[in-house]
Amino acid sequence: RSTLSSSSAASDVYKRQTLIIVQKGDALWNIAYQRLGLGNRYIDIVELNKDKIKNPDLIYPKQLFIIPNKIN
């Protein structure tokens, strides 16, 4: 029974957030602008991925990032 509740909690997290795979040539500003509507929301992406992004100017192809929901 505890497995079901933890699975439900995990699926709820993925419903609220989007995962992206960084492609060659991507920049956090461009990802934020295209996905969230404002380039300066790259800061939100950095905050959600602190464990993966040490320097926002250096991201690499094939990295997997959580993207917050777009706020209208």
Side-chain angles (χ1 to χ4, degrees):
R1 188 168 178 139
S2 63
T3 304
L4 289 175
S5 61
S6 64
S7 295
S8 296
S11 66
D12 287 345
V13 168
Y14 288 112
K15 287 178 189 174
R16 292 179 297 214
Q17 298 172 334
T18 302
L19 298 174
I20 64 148
I21 300 171
V22 175
Q23 303 296 315
K24 184 177 180 180
D26 280 350
L28 288 174
W29 181 277
N30 293 337
I31 293 168
Y33 182 78
Q34 292 169 354
R35 301 281 182 145
L36 305 173
L38 292 171
N40 62 359
R41 288 210 51 213
Y42 82 92
I43 296 166
D44 297 334
I45 298 171
V46 172
E47 286 296 315
L48 283 172
N49 296 281
K50 287 180 190 177
D51 59 326
K52 300 173 196 158
I53 302 174
K54 303 302 178 207
N55 179 345
D57 293 327
L58 298 174
I59 61 171
Y60 302 98
K62 299 183 183 177
Q63 281 184 298
L64 184 66
F65 293 148
I66 299 169
I67 303 297
N69 285 331
K70 184 175 182 175
I71 299 172
N72 294 327

